Amino acid sequence: MATRLGEKLYELRKKRVFTLDKLAELSGLSKSYIWELENKESQRPSAEKLTALADVLGVSASYFIEEDVRQPEERHLDEAFFRNYQKLEPDSKQQLRKILDTFKKKP
Amino acid sequence: MATRLGEKLYELRKKRVFTLDKLAELSGLSKSYIWELENKESQRPSAEKLTALADVLGVSASYFIEEDVRQPEERHLDEAFFRNYQKLEPDSKQQLRKILDTFKKKP
DNA sequence: ATAAAATATTCGGAATAGCGAACTTTAAGT
DNA sequence: ACTTAAAGTTCGCTATTCCGAATATTTTAT
């Protein structure tokens, strides 16, 4: 699993079988800039541009943004869990929240 | 609840009782720029800066970025829930995931 | 093997993010 | 009311984002 932005972008783009041109067209960014995001270090792209790319590539913007200390596997589980949680009825959510409280870490 | 970035920022800053100077110090941004984010339209801040602010203000970066169809209170509860969930031990997480499964699309 | 087409990379420059410092307003104390 | 300090606002400037067009490379077809 990719760790820095450029790798994540490249990986996703290849997975979707997009060319730079195609991704540029779909996201509204220029292909030259996408290329720079993939290949140059220390870019500081706007949240807006990242979100546009994330939308097209089918991930959340935070996937690009947040560097994470969790192992990819665990992170993946966590995100899937949260996606499922969000789809629940409010009642079920509340029940889960209560259950979570009882689990809270004891240091 | 605030909908655009400036409002969200201002609201959170006031809630935490931070001055511009204080928030600037804590986040590493300049206070003039934070003021512009709060007060000027059509800013395009970098994800990096937004993340710095989000960290200090105790929200997720995506709170600033993603617009959401959920009601604000529900969204807030969801996010708080996920933040808590992530801090759990892996075993606890797994238990919760199993419980979530039993809740899935139950009318 | 060569041409044509598709894809990737480089580059110059306009637009603007983001800063420091100066300035203005508000709040607090005497 | 006057002073001082704290908070907010403006402004000029530099660095960086982000683009379009040109160029280079790879792929595909003949």
Side-chain angles (χ1 to χ4, degrees), chain A residues 14 19-20 31-32 35 44:
Chain A
K14 286 307 179 187
T19 65
L20 286 172
K31 71 168 167 176
S32 55
W35 183 87
R44 201 155 28 82

Side-chain angles (χ1 to χ4, degrees), chain A residues 1-11 41 62-72 75:
Chain A
M1 177 73 87
T3 56
R4 60 174 39 67
L5 175 64
E7 294 167 17
K8 290 177 181 174
L9 262 179
Y10 182 84
E11 191 173 272
E41 288 305 311
S62 51
Y63 171 66
F64 289 141
I65 291 169
E66 284 153 22
E67 71 217 68
D68 210 314
V69 292
R70 284 169 292 173
Q71 296 299 324
R75 191 182 56 210

Side-chain angles (χ1 to χ4, degrees), chain A residues 24-38:
Chain A
E25 179 200 333
L26 292 172
S27 64
L29 311 219
S30 71
K31 71 168 167 176
S32 55
Y33 187 51
I34 298 173
W35 183 87
E36 284 174 3
L37 290 179
E38 286 183 357

Side-chain angles (χ1 to χ4, degrees), chain B residues 34-58:
Chain B
I34 298 174
W35 183 88
E36 285 172 3
L37 290 179
E38 286 182 357
N39 295 283
K40 296 203 166 175
E41 287 306 311
S42 76
Q43 301 283 111
R44 209 160 12 89
S46 67
E48 207 176 42
K49 302 292 175 186
L50 278 189
T51 303
L53 288 169
D55 286 349
V56 169
L57 293 170

Side-chain angles (χ1 to χ4, degrees), chain A residues 48-74:
Chain A
E48 207 176 41
K49 301 292 174 187
L50 278 189
T51 302
L53 288 170
D55 287 350
V56 170
L57 293 170
V59 298
S60 69
S62 51
Y63 171 66
F64 289 141
I65 291 169
E66 284 153 22
E67 71 217 68
D68 210 314
V69 292
R70 284 169 292 173
Q71 296 299 324
E73 171 73 7
E74 183 179 4

Side-chain angles (χ1 to χ4, degrees), chain A residues 78-96:
Chain A
D78 290 354
E79 281 164 5
F81 171 78
F82 187 49
R83 256 180 272 120
N84 285 327
Y85 161 84
Q86 287 175 299
K87 290 177 196 151
L88 295 176
E89 304 296 325
D91 294 359
S92 303
K93 286 180 177 178
Q94 194 186 353
Q95 290 185 57
L96 262 190

